[in-house]
Every structure is written in structure tokens, then in C-alpha cells.
Amino acid sequence: MLDKRLSYLSFTTMLNSEPSRRQFLAFLAASPLLAAAGFDADALTHAAHATTRNSDHALRLAQRIVEHGASADGVIQSAKEALSVFDFEPVAKQNIPVSHWGYLATGTDDDGTIQANREGFDRWALHPRRLIDVSKVDASVSLYGTRYPTPIVINPVGSQKAFHPLGEIAVARAAKARDHLQVLSTVATTSIEDAIAARGGPVWFQLYHQSDWAITRQIVQRAERAGAPAVVFTVDLIGGSNRETMMREARRDTRTCTNCHLGGAPLPGISGRVDDRDNRRKPNLVGYPHVTPIPEVGTPSWEFIDRLKSATRMKVLIKGIVTREDAELAVAHGVDGLFVSNHGGRAENSMRATIASLPEVLQGVAGKIPVICDGGFRRGTDIFKAMALGATAVGIGRPYIWGLGAFGQEGVETVLALLRKEFEVVMKQSGVTSIAGITRNHIVAR
Ligand SMILES: Cc1cc2nc3c(=O)[nH]c(=O)nc-3n(C[C@H](O)[C@H](O)[C@H](O)COP(=O)(O)O)c2cc1C
């Protein structure tokens, strides 16, 4: 029986010894509760028999099980039962086809940066102040003149109809209900026009460049016409990414992929750019008038940013910046904002948390433009730590997709509500009543 009181420390100690690690993983793999909780017994069996080379992977699997211990006693049946965002993951895993699950869950190589993103938060502890009137708390932030009740941004995630029939529409409705900023992916399964209609207000547009600048420019100008106030250019997949978990899971899917994907399952990111051979389900990439092509020479560099800036009146942000040097260059090129992001551990396997990259990016920016940080945010404390370091806002990816895959719009709304509630409690416990009141002094290095 999984014991959710099992301490993380004793667990880790046990797993450091090879024989007991194997024994324990084999025991977990045999537990019927694992399947009920949506965990993958095959992967655990594999880990139990793995060589020491794979022990990191085994440890990560086992740690995930401890982290999800609350759900392991019984998968929630409704969004209302959820106590944390983690409760949605096993339900979503049950509902989502295995290859689509692989697309959601994957990192790169052995998925180390996904784990690093989570561990990054543990390097900081809270430093709370007492005896301050916290009866009223205002967690709102302003981004380019629009105020949102929390700093939690719904980050771009591609192909959301792979997770739920309503996909981005359900997410937009949840964003509307709870008044969150939503960023729509270029490779969304909903058009920017339909997302803005469902949100009932502006949605930002995330850009993946195309091999033809003439098409990229049309995509950008269409988003502007649709009412997007900002374009977020993602730069962290330009060299391509090795998504092993995704490819392994895709092999386990026995369905006929060609109904949706020409030529079989696509490999997003692998080629270093969106695969534009099959855009049937990617409405932001279709329907442009034919114009004389302007083929890109090489891959985008800072010159591309200048071109992008001159092609639109929207705010231009860059997503995927993790160094001070690039932050300084972004400011020098007139960029309006940054996302400190490693694509949720799906770009290079850097093993560096975005919360660890945040301070140097903030130094490079020197307060001149907003900085949004994403990667591994799962708790109110995570959000608080990023805000204390100086982030303007934080982005979430997988958690709202777990909500979507589990219970559609209601799941997304509940994920947003849980994170907001947790964040506001941490604010109060720390003795702050506004975002401006959260300072570097409210956290300490552990
Ligand atoms: C399934 C999936 C698809 C994603 N698609 C995109 C995308 O189309 N464009 C983009 O800029 N980022 C994309 N991202 C990255 C997210 O915007 C975000 O950076 C990341 O998910 C944050 O980490 P988290 O999932 O740990 O919260 C995607 C992430 C996931 C998990």
C-alpha cells in the first residue's frame, strides 16, 4: 500500500541503495493503486530492472509518485474534489490518448530539466513577517495597461484539442470566467479569432516563425487584426529538441494517426521548426493569400526581432530567454517584455531551473520591461518565490492542461482557482497585501 506519510527523506535514502531501490520500485509497479492513480506500471517495472545509469530516471518516477501520494489513494471524480493541481494529472492521463499524453508529459533526453524546474523552487524558503493586517489582499498585476486579478498567466500550449474536444475554447472560457491572461499558440487547434471571441477579450498570440517570412508576417498581422495586443516570439526551439518520452509513448498508441496527421504522428520541435506539411488542425497556419515567398536565410537572429518589431504595432515579447546577456540584447532591440522559460523542460536538457535563471535575466532587464517566468509552477509558494525575486507575472503550462484533460473548462477553472487561493494564502502568511509589497526580503536561500 502506498503510504502518503512516507517521508521524502527516508524515501530518497532508500532509493539511493541499488538493491532496495529495485525492490521498492518492483513493489510499486505491482500495486493496483498505481493504475488507479494513472501511473505507468510498465515504466516502473522498467525502472526497477534498470541499470544504475538509469537510476536518476527511476528516482524521478518514484519521487513523482510520492509527490502525487494524495491522489494515489483514489483518483478524484470531479473537479470539486481537487485539493491541489496535482490531483488533475492522473485523471487527465486516464482520459488522454497515450501518444497525446506523451506530447504533454515529454521533456528532452531523459526529462531532467522538468525535474530541475521543480527542484529550483526548493532552493528558496519563505521568510514571513508577522502581525501585519492581512484581512484584505490584492494579488492583481497590470500588464501593458490591463489589470488581471492574479499574476498567473495561461501560457501557450499547442494542439489543445488533442487533450479535450473543446481545447483552447474551453481554456478561453475558463480564462474569461476567472479573468486571466491567455496566450494562444501558433500551433493551437483554435484560431486566434475564435479564441478571442471565446475569451470575450484580448488574447496574446505566441509566434513560431515559418520558413517563409512572407507567411510569418501574414500570421502576425492577422493576429493583430483579430485584436491580439501582444505577440510572443518563442526562441527556445530553434535548434530542435530531442523528445524521447513523447516518441516512446507514441509507439504505444495503436490508433490510426493519419486521420488527423498526414504521414502519421508529427514530431513537433524535432526539426527545429513547426512541421508545416500538415496544418489541417492548425487554423492559425492556414488561409493566407498567396504572396511572393520570402524564404528565410538561416535561422532567426536579432535581426529577425527588428523585422518583427517593424511588422506590427503589437507589443513584442520574446519567450525562452534564460541569460543576462540575451536580456540586455532584448532591451537594446526594443523588445517589450520577456518570458524566462525553458519551454517546460522541452527545449535543451539544460538542467537549469527557470527560477534559477530569473535573477540574471532581471539584472539584464534592469526594470525596463516586464518579465514573466514559467516552468514548473505548481504551488502558490512557487509563484510567491518568483514574485519575490522580481518577476512581473508567472506562466503555467501543464497544470491547466491536466485540468482541461480531466474535466474540461471546469477543470481549468479549478486549477486557476486553486493556484490563486494558495498564492493569496502565502501572501497573507508572509504579511503582504499587494504584489508591490512582495520583496526579496520575503524569501531566503536555503
Ligand atoms: C504540451 C505542451 C505544448 C506546448 N506548446 C507550446 C507552444 O506551442 N508555444 C510555446 O511558446 N510554448 C509551448 N509550450 C511551453 C509552455 O508555454 C510553457 O513554457 C511550459 O509549459 C511551462 O512549464 P510547465 O508545463 O512546467 O508549467 C508547451 C508546453 C507543453 C507542455
Side-chain angles (χ1 to χ4, degrees), residues 116-120 123 342 350-358:
N117 277 344
R118 290 292 302 135
E119 287 174 354
R123 305 216 174 91
N342 55 29
S350 67
M351 301 299 284
R352 188 168 190 231
T354 48
I355 193 84
S357 305
L358 177 62

Side-chain angles (χ1 to χ4, degrees), residues 155-156 158 185 206 208 234 319 341 343-344 346 374 376 378 397-398:
N155 253 48
S185 168
Q206 176 270 331
Y208 282 132
T234 299
K319 179 168 179 284
S341 177
H343 221 102
R346 300 157 76 84
D374 74 66
R378 307 288 182 264
R398 293 180 187 86

